[in-house]
Amino acid sequence: MSELNPRQQGRRQRGRRGPRHPRGPRRRNNVVMVRVDAENLSRIDELVESGQFNSRSEATAFLIDEGIKSKQQMFDKMAEKISQIQGLRDELEAMIGEDAKPSESAE
């Protein structure tokens, strides 16, 4: 068997188990590729090494979830503005559609 570095040995010894941190019944089926700096990667690794998460993926998903929760008020405001923008786009599309119809007086 090949030698493992201490980090790999720790992961191998722990074995596969569910996350220790309560995450709820939500499934994570979407993949997001992200680049992080060395300091953030070190923090993510600390979460894994602490045994709270089984992988960088689980730790990063937790941090994203917590960040979104902490900014929920901002996301609510954004959703409202996006809805208003979509309403205006719909109005504009209807207006252009009406204007594009051939006028009956031209016949």
Side-chain angles (χ1 to χ4, degrees):
M1 181 151 106
S2 65
E3 285 191 35
L4 300 174
N5 68 37
R7 179 174 283 169
Q8 290 170 325
Q9 287 174 351
R11 287 184 181 151
R12 171 82 47 98
Q13 290 170 354
R14 282 194 297 261
R16 195 72 194 135
R17 65 179 189 279
R20 289 183 166 200
H21 199 278
R23 305 242 344 117
R26 296 187 329 186
R27 298 211 36 184
R28 294 184 295 123
N29 295 324
N30 301 296
V31 176
V32 175
M33 300 289 289
V34 61
R35 294 181 186 273
V36 297
D37 62 28
E39 183 179 343
N40 287 335
L41 183 60
S42 177
R43 295 296 185 196
I44 292 166
D45 285 340
E46 288 172 1
L47 288 171
V48 175
E49 291 301 316
S50 74
Q52 296 302 302
F53 299 94
N54 290 324
S55 66
R56 287 176 171 175
S57 176
E58 287 179 2
T60 303
F62 165 77
L63 292 172
I64 290 170
D65 192 52
E66 290 299 307
I68 290 171
K69 285 178 189 174
S70 75
K71 294 294 185 179
Q72 189 59 52
Q73 190 174 22
M74 178 192 72
F75 281 104
D76 292 344
K77 288 178 183 178
M78 282 191 334
E80 183 180 326
K81 295 298 181 187
I82 290 168
S83 178
Q84 290 172 359
I85 290 167
Q86 188 58 51
L88 291 170
R89 285 183 178 148
D90 292 345
E91 283 181 39
L92 182 58
E93 186 177 329
M95 184 181 75
I96 291 171
E98 286 295 318
D99 194 48
K101 287 183 182 177
S103 66
E104 293 181 24
S105 61
E107 291 177 16

